Amino acid sequence: MSAFSQLRLDGVSRRFGGQAALTELDLTIGAGEFIALLGPSGCGKSTALNCLAGLLPLTAGSIWQDERRIDTLPPERRGFGMVFQSYALFPHLTVRANIAFGLRMRRLPKEETRRRTDEAVRLVRLEDHVDKLPGQLSGGQQQRVAIARAVVFEPSLVLMDEPLSNLDAKLRLEMRTEIRRLHQSLGLTTVYVTHDQEEALSLADRLVVLREGRVQQIGSPRELHTRPANWHVADFMGYRNLWRGRVERRDGARATVESSGHRLLGEVVGDVQAEAEAVLAVRPEDIRVDGPGEAHNALSATVEVVEYQGRELAAEARTDTGLLLHLRTERRIAPGDQVRLGVDPQRLLVYPADAAAAQTNRVPQASGATR
Ligand code: ATP
């Protein structure tokens, strides 16, 4: 369906007055790809999407569809489908008329309009609701209408801005599957904005993580999950344990770091030198509780808080030097228990500290490593 083989963003930037909302975004999107733009609130995701859509002019940079420059074209001439968080349906038009609207505007022959509309209705499974008004539909059904309306004219690119954020948790999961199914069955190229890392990991072929308007990392879900490029991305990707420390020694890909009086061995990511400040990152599920004697990274701690989460418990434990650990375990532990914890060095990532590392309270100052 895609009318291009590559869409290229070249140094795309957008300022609002003195403030840079998006800075030099370089990204090449292949036909058929599902790209997620991911990052915390205010990082520039919607700005990037709106620049692509043509709703916001660029301050610098260019956008290319193969050899054709498109950032100078108005939105309607780019031919992209858009789905927003607010469904933006016409309240006085039926489901069918809402979906057919774009085709009518394009003055397609009646027969063709009918055929394509029926097909879109079938794709989003709204056959039983075609004559209803949007007000008579549930939130999930309304979002399906919005999606059908965006794909009915077979756009070369579909842009979605947090399309599921108004839905409840169960519906969000269902619609997530629907969106992926539609993307695949229609051979769409999709750019999808979300602040939900789980949603992005499950949907996208590639993720683009933004922070303060700048790309932090572009990679596959697996790359982002296992090897975040810096501690900010790690923080965003669920590495809840972020500990500040000082590098004692570096041996190739490994480093020994002193943090809160503990000596920990981890895997180096980025420019980490001996004597430098570092941030250690590990996921709660990668901390082992009462495992068989570990050669490395064994810690004794007291359980402080336990939260029941179905099969697993989420817990917080603290070592006697004050290091706080967030962990997940299937073991039945309770507040006050003494536990032996272990972290596989491969799962403990060592990042260079930056100025921001000192400011976050989730990265406590390491004892003896403070200046
Ligand atoms: P959210 O997840 O909260 O929607 P986002 O990552 O999509 O956030 P953007 O909406 O792209 O972030 O905003 C990026 C930055 O640009 C923010 O600091 C925001 O305040 C600023 N910004 C966005 N739109 C405007 C505007 N029209 N005028 C001034 N500043 C703006």
Side-chain angles (χ1 to χ4, degrees), residues 119-178:
E119 168 77 8
V121 163
R122 197 179 51 72
L123 275 169
V124 296
R125 304 172 192 193
L126 282 174
E127 293 95 328
D128 297 338
H129 306 281
V130 282
D131 296 322
K132 290 186 183 165
L133 296 173
Q136 298 169 297
L137 301 177
S138 71
Q141 289 165 339
Q142 289 185 49
Q143 195 53 297
R144 275 171 213 228
V145 178
I147 292 169
R149 194 182 51 177
V151 301
V152 72
F153 60 90
E154 303 184 356
S156 59
L157 183 69
V158 179
L159 305 172
M160 300 197 184
D161 194 349
E162 306 251 6
L164 308 184
S165 53
N166 282 342
L167 306 178
D168 66 42
K170 183 167 173 286
L171 211 53
R172 219 161 39 227
L173 282 180
E174 271 174 42
M175 287 298 291
R176 202 200 268 183
T177 316
E178 292 272 304

Short mmCIF file of all heavy atoms in Angstrom, two decimals, residues 119-178:
data_model
loop_
_atom_site.label_atom_id
_atom_site.label_comp_id
_atom_site.label_asym_id
_atom_site.label_seq_id
_atom_site.Cartn_x
_atom_site.Cartn_y
_atom_site.Cartn_z
N GLU A 119 -15.27 -2.44 3.49
CA GLU A 119 -14.04 -3.16 3.80
C GLU A 119 -13.44 -2.65 5.13
O GLU A 119 -13.04 -3.44 5.99
CB GLU A 119 -13.05 -2.93 2.63
CG GLU A 119 -11.62 -3.36 2.87
CD GLU A 119 -11.44 -4.86 2.75
OE1 GLU A 119 -12.40 -5.54 2.36
OE2 GLU A 119 -10.34 -5.34 3.10
N ALA A 120 -13.41 -1.32 5.29
CA ALA A 120 -12.85 -0.74 6.51
C ALA A 120 -13.70 -1.10 7.73
O ALA A 120 -13.18 -1.43 8.80
CB ALA A 120 -12.72 0.77 6.38
N VAL A 121 -15.03 -1.08 7.54
CA VAL A 121 -15.95 -1.45 8.63
C VAL A 121 -15.67 -2.88 9.08
O VAL A 121 -15.61 -3.20 10.26
CB VAL A 121 -17.42 -1.29 8.16
CG1 VAL A 121 -18.37 -2.03 9.09
CG2 VAL A 121 -17.79 0.18 8.06
N ARG A 122 -15.46 -3.74 8.09
CA ARG A 122 -15.21 -5.15 8.38
C ARG A 122 -13.87 -5.31 9.13
O ARG A 122 -13.77 -6.05 10.09
CB ARG A 122 -15.20 -5.93 7.06
CG ARG A 122 -15.35 -7.44 7.19
CD ARG A 122 -15.35 -8.10 5.83
NE ARG A 122 -14.24 -7.71 4.97
CZ ARG A 122 -12.97 -8.09 5.15
NH1 ARG A 122 -12.65 -8.89 6.13
NH2 ARG A 122 -12.02 -7.66 4.32
N LEU A 123 -12.87 -4.57 8.67
CA LEU A 123 -11.54 -4.67 9.28
C LEU A 123 -11.55 -4.32 10.76
O LEU A 123 -10.85 -4.94 11.56
CB LEU A 123 -10.56 -3.73 8.56
CG LEU A 123 -9.89 -4.29 7.32
CD1 LEU A 123 -9.18 -3.17 6.58
CD2 LEU A 123 -8.90 -5.38 7.70
N VAL A 124 -12.34 -3.31 11.12
CA VAL A 124 -12.37 -2.91 12.53
C VAL A 124 -13.56 -3.54 13.27
O VAL A 124 -13.86 -3.18 14.40
CB VAL A 124 -12.36 -1.37 12.72
CG1 VAL A 124 -11.07 -0.77 12.21
CG2 VAL A 124 -13.56 -0.74 12.04
N ARG A 125 -14.23 -4.46 12.60
CA ARG A 125 -15.30 -5.26 13.21
C ARG A 125 -16.44 -4.42 13.76
O ARG A 125 -16.85 -4.57 14.90
CB ARG A 125 -14.72 -6.14 14.33
CG ARG A 125 -13.60 -7.00 13.81
CD ARG A 125 -12.89 -7.74 14.90
NE ARG A 125 -11.66 -8.31 14.37
CZ ARG A 125 -10.93 -9.21 14.99
NH1 ARG A 125 -11.29 -9.64 16.17
NH2 ARG A 125 -9.84 -9.66 14.44
N LEU A 126 -16.93 -3.50 12.93
CA LEU A 126 -18.04 -2.66 13.38
C LEU A 126 -19.30 -2.91 12.54
O LEU A 126 -20.18 -2.06 12.48
CB LEU A 126 -17.64 -1.18 13.29
CG LEU A 126 -16.74 -0.64 14.40
CD1 LEU A 126 -16.33 0.80 14.10
CD2 LEU A 126 -17.41 -0.71 15.76
N GLU A 127 -19.38 -4.09 11.91
CA GLU A 127 -20.50 -4.37 11.00
C GLU A 127 -21.86 -4.12 11.66
O GLU A 127 -22.79 -3.66 11.01
CB GLU A 127 -20.47 -5.83 10.52
CG GLU A 127 -19.30 -6.17 9.63
CD GLU A 127 -18.13 -6.77 10.40
OE1 GLU A 127 -17.95 -6.40 11.56
OE2 GLU A 127 -17.41 -7.61 9.83
N ASP A 128 -21.95 -4.41 12.96
CA ASP A 128 -23.26 -4.29 13.61
C ASP A 128 -23.58 -2.87 14.06
O ASP A 128 -24.60 -2.64 14.70
CB ASP A 128 -23.30 -5.20 14.85
CG ASP A 128 -23.16 -6.66 14.45
OD1 ASP A 128 -23.46 -6.97 13.28
OD2 ASP A 128 -22.72 -7.47 15.29
N HIS A 129 -22.69 -1.93 13.79
CA HIS A 129 -22.88 -0.58 14.35
C HIS A 129 -22.88 0.52 13.30
O HIS A 129 -22.85 1.69 13.64
CB HIS A 129 -21.78 -0.30 15.37
CG HIS A 129 -21.67 -1.33 16.44
ND1 HIS A 129 -22.52 -1.37 17.52
CD2 HIS A 129 -20.84 -2.39 16.58
CE1 HIS A 129 -22.21 -2.40 18.29
NE2 HIS A 129 -21.19 -3.04 17.74
N VAL A 130 -22.93 0.15 12.01
CA VAL A 130 -22.71 1.15 10.95
C VAL A 130 -23.72 2.30 10.94
O VAL A 130 -23.40 3.39 10.51
CB VAL A 130 -22.70 0.52 9.54
CG1 VAL A 130 -21.38 -0.16 9.26
CG2 VAL A 130 -23.87 -0.41 9.35
N ASP A 131 -24.94 2.04 11.43
CA ASP A 131 -25.95 3.10 11.36
C ASP A 131 -26.06 3.91 12.65
O ASP A 131 -26.91 4.78 12.77
CB ASP A 131 -27.31 2.49 11.00
CG ASP A 131 -27.26 1.88 9.61
OD1 ASP A 131 -26.59 2.49 8.74
OD2 ASP A 131 -27.81 0.79 9.41
N LYS A 132 -25.20 3.62 13.62
CA LYS A 132 -25.26 4.37 14.88
C LYS A 132 -24.49 5.68 14.77
O LYS A 132 -23.62 5.85 13.92
CB LYS A 132 -24.65 3.52 16.01
CG LYS A 132 -25.50 2.32 16.38
CD LYS A 132 -24.91 1.61 17.58
CE LYS A 132 -25.73 0.36 17.89
NZ LYS A 132 -25.00 -0.53 18.80
N LEU A 133 -24.82 6.58 15.70
CA LEU A 133 -24.05 7.82 15.83
C LEU A 133 -22.93 7.58 16.84
O LEU A 133 -23.06 6.72 17.72
CB LEU A 133 -24.96 8.95 16.32
CG LEU A 133 -26.09 9.35 15.36
CD1 LEU A 133 -27.02 10.35 16.03
CD2 LEU A 133 -25.52 9.92 14.06
N PRO A 134 -21.83 8.35 16.75
CA PRO A 134 -20.71 8.15 17.68
C PRO A 134 -21.13 8.14 19.15
O PRO A 134 -20.61 7.34 19.94
CB PRO A 134 -19.79 9.33 17.37
CG PRO A 134 -20.04 9.62 15.94
CD PRO A 134 -21.51 9.35 15.72
N GLY A 135 -22.09 9.01 19.51
CA GLY A 135 -22.56 9.08 20.90
C GLY A 135 -23.16 7.79 21.40
O GLY A 135 -23.30 7.59 22.61
N GLN A 136 -23.53 6.89 20.49
CA GLN A 136 -24.14 5.62 20.89
C GLN A 136 -23.10 4.50 21.00
O GLN A 136 -23.46 3.35 21.19
CB GLN A 136 -25.22 5.22 19.87
CG GLN A 136 -26.36 6.20 19.80
CD GLN A 136 -27.27 5.91 18.61
OE1 GLN A 136 -26.87 5.98 17.46
NE2 GLN A 136 -28.52 5.56 18.92
N LEU A 137 -21.84 4.85 20.85
CA LEU A 137 -20.77 3.83 20.87
C LEU A 137 -19.93 3.94 22.13
O LEU A 137 -19.82 5.01 22.73
CB LEU A 137 -19.85 4.01 19.67
CG LEU A 137 -20.46 3.93 18.28
CD1 LEU A 137 -19.39 4.22 17.23
CD2 LEU A 137 -21.09 2.57 18.03
N SER A 138 -19.28 2.83 22.50
CA SER A 138 -18.32 2.86 23.61
C SER A 138 -17.03 3.55 23.14
O SER A 138 -16.83 3.75 21.93
CB SER A 138 -18.00 1.43 24.04
OG SER A 138 -17.21 0.81 23.04
N GLY A 139 -16.16 3.86 24.10
CA GLY A 139 -14.89 4.51 23.75
C GLY A 139 -14.08 3.69 22.77
O GLY A 139 -13.52 4.21 21.80
N GLY A 140 -14.01 2.39 23.00
CA GLY A 140 -13.23 1.50 22.14
C GLY A 140 -13.81 1.47 20.72
O GLY A 140 -13.07 1.49 19.73
N GLN A 141 -15.15 1.45 20.64
CA GLN A 141 -15.79 1.43 19.32
C GLN A 141 -15.55 2.74 18.59
O GLN A 141 -15.30 2.76 17.39
CB GLN A 141 -17.30 1.17 19.48
CG GLN A 141 -17.59 -0.27 19.91
CD GLN A 141 -19.02 -0.45 20.42
OE1 GLN A 141 -19.67 0.51 20.81
NE2 GLN A 141 -19.48 -1.68 20.42
N GLN A 142 -15.61 3.85 19.34
CA GLN A 142 -15.35 5.14 18.70
C GLN A 142 -13.93 5.21 18.16
O GLN A 142 -13.68 5.72 17.07
CB GLN A 142 -15.56 6.28 19.71
CG GLN A 142 -17.01 6.48 20.06
CD GLN A 142 -17.21 7.68 20.96
OE1 GLN A 142 -16.72 8.76 20.70
NE2 GLN A 142 -17.95 7.48 22.04
N GLN A 143 -12.99 4.65 18.93
CA GLN A 143 -11.61 4.68 18.46
C GLN A 143 -11.45 3.80 17.22
O GLN A 143 -10.67 4.10 16.32
CB GLN A 143 -10.65 4.28 19.58
CG GLN A 143 -9.19 4.62 19.33
CD GLN A 143 -8.93 6.08 18.96
OE1 GLN A 143 -9.40 6.56 17.93
NE2 GLN A 143 -8.18 6.78 19.79
N ARG A 144 -12.25 2.72 17.15
CA ARG A 144 -12.22 1.89 15.94
C ARG A 144 -12.71 2.65 14.72
O ARG A 144 -12.18 2.49 13.62
CB ARG A 144 -13.13 0.69 16.11
CG ARG A 144 -12.46 -0.44 16.79
CD ARG A 144 -13.46 -1.49 17.12
NE ARG A 144 -12.97 -2.06 18.34
CZ ARG A 144 -12.86 -3.35 18.56
NH1 ARG A 144 -13.30 -4.19 17.69
NH2 ARG A 144 -12.34 -3.79 19.66
N VAL A 145 -13.74 3.47 14.92
CA VAL A 145 -14.24 4.30 13.81
C VAL A 145 -13.12 5.24 13.36
O VAL A 145 -12.85 5.40 12.16
CB VAL A 145 -15.49 5.12 14.23
CG1 VAL A 145 -15.95 6.00 13.06
CG2 VAL A 145 -16.60 4.21 14.69
N ALA A 146 -12.45 5.86 14.36
CA ALA A 146 -11.37 6.80 14.02
C ALA A 146 -10.26 6.09 13.24
O ALA A 146 -9.70 6.65 12.29
CB ALA A 146 -10.82 7.42 15.30
N ILE A 147 -9.97 4.85 13.63
CA ILE A 147 -8.91 4.10 12.93
C ILE A 147 -9.37 3.75 11.52
O ILE A 147 -8.62 3.91 10.55
CB ILE A 147 -8.51 2.85 13.74
CG1 ILE A 147 -7.81 3.28 15.04
CG2 ILE A 147 -7.61 1.92 12.92
CD1 ILE A 147 -7.59 2.16 16.04
N ALA A 148 -10.63 3.29 11.39
CA ALA A 148 -11.16 2.95 10.07
C ALA A 148 -11.11 4.16 9.15
O ALA A 148 -10.74 4.07 7.98
CB ALA A 148 -12.59 2.43 10.20
N ARG A 149 -11.48 5.32 9.71
CA ARG A 149 -11.48 6.55 8.92
C ARG A 149 -10.07 6.92 8.45
O ARG A 149 -9.89 7.47 7.38
CB ARG A 149 -12.07 7.66 9.79
CG ARG A 149 -12.43 8.90 9.03
CD ARG A 149 -12.96 9.94 9.95
NE ARG A 149 -12.04 10.16 11.06
CZ ARG A 149 -12.21 11.08 12.01
NH1 ARG A 149 -13.29 11.82 12.00
NH2 ARG A 149 -11.33 11.22 12.96
N ALA A 150 -9.09 6.58 9.29
CA ALA A 150 -7.71 6.93 8.93
C ALA A 150 -7.13 5.98 7.88
O ALA A 150 -6.23 6.36 7.14
CB ALA A 150 -6.84 6.92 10.18
N VAL A 151 -7.61 4.73 7.84
CA VAL A 151 -7.00 3.78 6.91
C VAL A 151 -7.82 3.57 5.64
O VAL A 151 -7.34 2.95 4.69
CB VAL A 151 -6.72 2.39 7.57
CG1 VAL A 151 -5.79 2.55 8.76
CG2 VAL A 151 -8.00 1.68 7.97
N VAL A 152 -9.07 4.12 5.61
CA VAL A 152 -9.99 3.79 4.51
C VAL A 152 -9.47 4.27 3.16
O VAL A 152 -9.74 3.65 2.13
CB VAL A 152 -11.40 4.34 4.81
CG1 VAL A 152 -11.43 5.86 4.69
CG2 VAL A 152 -12.44 3.70 3.92
N PHE A 153 -8.70 5.36 3.16
CA PHE A 153 -8.23 5.84 1.85
C PHE A 153 -6.83 5.32 1.53
O PHE A 153 -6.13 5.86 0.68
CB PHE A 153 -8.34 7.37 1.73
CG PHE A 153 -7.55 8.13 2.74
CD1 PHE A 153 -6.24 8.50 2.49
CD2 PHE A 153 -8.12 8.50 3.95
CE1 PHE A 153 -5.51 9.22 3.42
CE2 PHE A 153 -7.39 9.22 4.88
CZ PHE A 153 -6.09 9.57 4.63
N GLU A 154 -6.44 4.25 2.23
CA GLU A 154 -5.17 3.58 1.96
C GLU A 154 -4.01 4.56 1.96
O GLU A 154 -3.30 4.72 0.95
CB GLU A 154 -5.24 2.80 0.64
CG GLU A 154 -6.38 1.80 0.67
CD GLU A 154 -6.44 0.93 -0.57
OE1 GLU A 154 -5.62 1.15 -1.49
OE2 GLU A 154 -7.29 0.03 -0.61
N PRO A 155 -3.77 5.21 3.10
CA PRO A 155 -2.71 6.21 3.17
C PRO A 155 -1.34 5.57 3.12
O PRO A 155 -1.17 4.41 3.49
CB PRO A 155 -2.94 6.86 4.54
CG PRO A 155 -3.58 5.79 5.35
CD PRO A 155 -4.42 4.99 4.40
N SER A 156 -0.35 6.34 2.66
CA SER A 156 1.01 5.80 2.60
C SER A 156 1.61 5.71 3.99
O SER A 156 2.54 4.95 4.24
CB SER A 156 1.88 6.67 1.70
OG SER A 156 1.91 7.99 2.19
N LEU A 157 1.08 6.50 4.94
CA LEU A 157 1.60 6.50 6.30
C LEU A 157 0.45 6.79 7.25
O LEU A 157 -0.40 7.64 6.96
CB LEU A 157 2.66 7.61 6.42
CG LEU A 157 3.39 7.76 7.75
CD1 LEU A 157 4.32 6.57 7.99
CD2 LEU A 157 4.19 9.05 7.79
N VAL A 158 0.40 6.05 8.36
CA VAL A 158 -0.61 6.32 9.38
C VAL A 158 0.09 6.85 10.62
O VAL A 158 1.06 6.26 11.09
CB VAL A 158 -1.41 5.04 9.73
CG1 VAL A 158 -2.43 5.34 10.82
CG2 VAL A 158 -2.11 4.51 8.51
N LEU A 159 -0.40 7.98 11.12
CA LEU A 159 0.19 8.61 12.30
C LEU A 159 -0.79 8.48 13.45
O LEU A 159 -1.97 8.82 13.31
CB LEU A 159 0.46 10.09 12.02
CG LEU A 159 1.33 10.37 10.79
CD1 LEU A 159 1.38 11.86 10.50
CD2 LEU A 159 2.74 9.83 11.00
N MET A 160 -0.33 7.97 14.57
CA MET A 160 -1.23 7.80 15.72
C MET A 160 -0.62 8.46 16.95
O MET A 160 0.52 8.18 17.31
CB MET A 160 -1.45 6.32 16.00
CG MET A 160 -2.07 5.56 14.86
SD MET A 160 -2.72 3.98 15.45
CE MET A 160 -3.25 3.27 13.90
N ASP A 161 -1.40 9.34 17.59
CA ASP A 161 -0.91 10.04 18.78
C ASP A 161 -1.66 9.56 20.01
O ASP A 161 -2.81 9.94 20.23
CB ASP A 161 -1.08 11.56 18.60
CG ASP A 161 -0.28 12.34 19.63
OD1 ASP A 161 0.24 11.73 20.58
OD2 ASP A 161 -0.17 13.57 19.47
N GLU A 162 -1.03 8.71 20.81
CA GLU A 162 -1.62 8.15 22.03
C GLU A 162 -3.07 7.71 21.80
O GLU A 162 -3.97 8.10 22.55
CB GLU A 162 -1.59 9.20 23.15
CG GLU A 162 -0.21 9.77 23.41
CD GLU A 162 0.40 9.31 24.72
OE1 GLU A 162 -0.21 8.45 25.39
OE2 GLU A 162 1.50 9.78 25.05
N PRO A 163 -3.33 6.87 20.80
CA PRO A 163 -4.72 6.57 20.45
C PRO A 163 -5.47 5.78 21.53
O PRO A 163 -6.69 5.77 21.53
CB PRO A 163 -4.60 5.73 19.18
CG PRO A 163 -3.25 5.11 19.26
CD PRO A 163 -2.39 6.12 19.95
N LEU A 164 -4.74 5.16 22.44
CA LEU A 164 -5.43 4.29 23.40
C LEU A 164 -5.53 4.88 24.80
O LEU A 164 -6.06 4.24 25.71
CB LEU A 164 -4.70 2.93 23.48
CG LEU A 164 -4.47 2.24 22.13
CD1 LEU A 164 -3.84 0.87 22.34
CD2 LEU A 164 -5.78 2.10 21.37
N SER A 165 -5.05 6.11 24.96
CA SER A 165 -4.93 6.59 26.34
C SER A 165 -6.26 6.93 27.01
O SER A 165 -6.32 7.04 28.22
CB SER A 165 -3.97 7.77 26.42
OG SER A 165 -4.36 8.74 25.50
N ASN A 166 -7.34 7.05 26.22
CA ASN A 166 -8.64 7.30 26.86
C ASN A 166 -9.41 6.03 27.18
O ASN A 166 -10.54 6.09 27.63
CB ASN A 166 -9.51 8.18 25.96
CG ASN A 166 -9.09 9.64 26.04
OD1 ASN A 166 -8.40 10.01 26.99
ND2 ASN A 166 -9.49 10.43 25.08
N LEU A 167 -8.81 4.88 26.91
CA LEU A 167 -9.53 3.62 27.10
C LEU A 167 -9.12 2.95 28.41
O LEU A 167 -8.02 3.18 28.91
CB LEU A 167 -9.23 2.67 25.94
CG LEU A 167 -9.49 3.24 24.54
CD1 LEU A 167 -9.11 2.23 23.47
CD2 LEU A 167 -10.95 3.62 24.39
N ASP A 168 -10.00 2.11 28.95
CA ASP A 168 -9.62 1.43 30.19
C ASP A 168 -8.61 0.32 29.88
O ASP A 168 -8.39 -0.04 28.72
CB ASP A 168 -10.85 0.90 30.94
CG ASP A 168 -11.56 -0.19 30.19
OD1 ASP A 168 -10.88 -1.06 29.62
OD2 ASP A 168 -12.80 -0.19 30.15
N ALA A 169 -8.01 -0.21 30.95
CA ALA A 169 -6.85 -1.09 30.78
C ALA A 169 -7.13 -2.31 29.89
O ALA A 169 -6.33 -2.65 29.03
CB ALA A 169 -6.36 -1.55 32.15
N LYS A 170 -8.30 -2.92 30.05
CA LYS A 170 -8.62 -4.14 29.31
C LYS A 170 -8.78 -3.82 27.82
O LYS A 170 -8.24 -4.50 26.95
CB LYS A 170 -9.90 -4.74 29.88
CG LYS A 170 -10.31 -6.04 29.24
CD LYS A 170 -11.38 -6.71 30.07
CE LYS A 170 -11.90 -7.94 29.35
NZ LYS A 170 -12.78 -7.56 28.22
N LEU A 171 -9.53 -2.75 27.55
CA LEU A 171 -9.77 -2.33 26.18
C LEU A 171 -8.48 -1.91 25.49
O LEU A 171 -8.27 -2.13 24.30
CB LEU A 171 -10.76 -1.16 26.20
CG LEU A 171 -11.70 -1.05 25.01
CD1 LEU A 171 -12.42 -2.36 24.79
CD2 LEU A 171 -12.71 0.06 25.27
N ARG A 172 -7.61 -1.30 26.28
CA ARG A 172 -6.33 -0.85 25.74
C ARG A 172 -5.54 -2.04 25.19
O ARG A 172 -4.98 -2.00 24.12
CB ARG A 172 -5.53 -0.15 26.84
CG ARG A 172 -4.82 1.03 26.34
CD ARG A 172 -4.38 2.04 27.33
NE ARG A 172 -3.88 1.55 28.57
CZ ARG A 172 -4.26 2.03 29.75
NH1 ARG A 172 -5.17 2.98 29.82
NH2 ARG A 172 -3.75 1.55 30.85
N LEU A 173 -5.56 -3.14 25.95
CA LEU A 173 -4.85 -4.34 25.51
C LEU A 173 -5.48 -4.91 24.25
O LEU A 173 -4.79 -5.30 23.31
CB LEU A 173 -4.88 -5.40 26.61
CG LEU A 173 -3.90 -5.19 27.76
CD1 LEU A 173 -4.03 -6.32 28.77
CD2 LEU A 173 -2.47 -5.11 27.24
N GLU A 174 -6.83 -4.94 24.22
CA GLU A 174 -7.53 -5.47 23.04
C GLU A 174 -7.21 -4.64 21.80
O GLU A 174 -6.90 -5.17 20.74
CB GLU A 174 -9.03 -5.40 23.28
CG GLU A 174 -9.60 -6.63 23.94
CD GLU A 174 -11.07 -6.41 24.26
OE1 GLU A 174 -11.80 -5.83 23.40
OE2 GLU A 174 -11.47 -6.79 25.36
N MET A 175 -7.30 -3.32 21.97
CA MET A 175 -7.10 -2.43 20.82
C MET A 175 -5.65 -2.46 20.33
O MET A 175 -5.37 -2.26 19.16
CB MET A 175 -7.50 -0.99 21.17
CG MET A 175 -8.98 -0.77 21.28
SD MET A 175 -9.85 -1.09 19.73
CE MET A 175 -9.27 0.26 18.72
N ARG A 176 -4.74 -2.69 21.28
CA ARG A 176 -3.33 -2.82 20.92
C ARG A 176 -3.16 -3.95 19.89
O ARG A 176 -2.52 -3.78 18.86
CB ARG A 176 -2.57 -3.16 22.19
CG ARG A 176 -1.12 -2.84 22.17
CD ARG A 176 -0.43 -3.64 23.24
NE ARG A 176 -0.35 -2.93 24.49
CZ ARG A 176 0.27 -3.42 25.57
NH1 ARG A 176 0.81 -4.62 25.56
NH2 ARG A 176 0.33 -2.73 26.67
N THR A 177 -3.79 -5.08 20.20
CA THR A 177 -3.71 -6.22 19.29
C THR A 177 -4.35 -5.88 17.95
O THR A 177 -3.84 -6.23 16.89
CB THR A 177 -4.41 -7.44 19.92
OG1 THR A 177 -4.01 -7.51 21.27
CG2 THR A 177 -4.07 -8.72 19.21
N GLU A 178 -5.50 -5.19 18.01
CA GLU A 178 -6.20 -4.78 16.78
C GLU A 178 -5.30 -3.92 15.89
O GLU A 178 -5.25 -4.08 14.68
CB GLU A 178 -7.42 -3.94 17.14
CG GLU A 178 -8.50 -4.68 17.83
CD GLU A 178 -9.45 -5.30 16.84
OE1 GLU A 178 -9.98 -4.57 16.02
OE2 GLU A 178 -9.61 -6.53 16.89
#
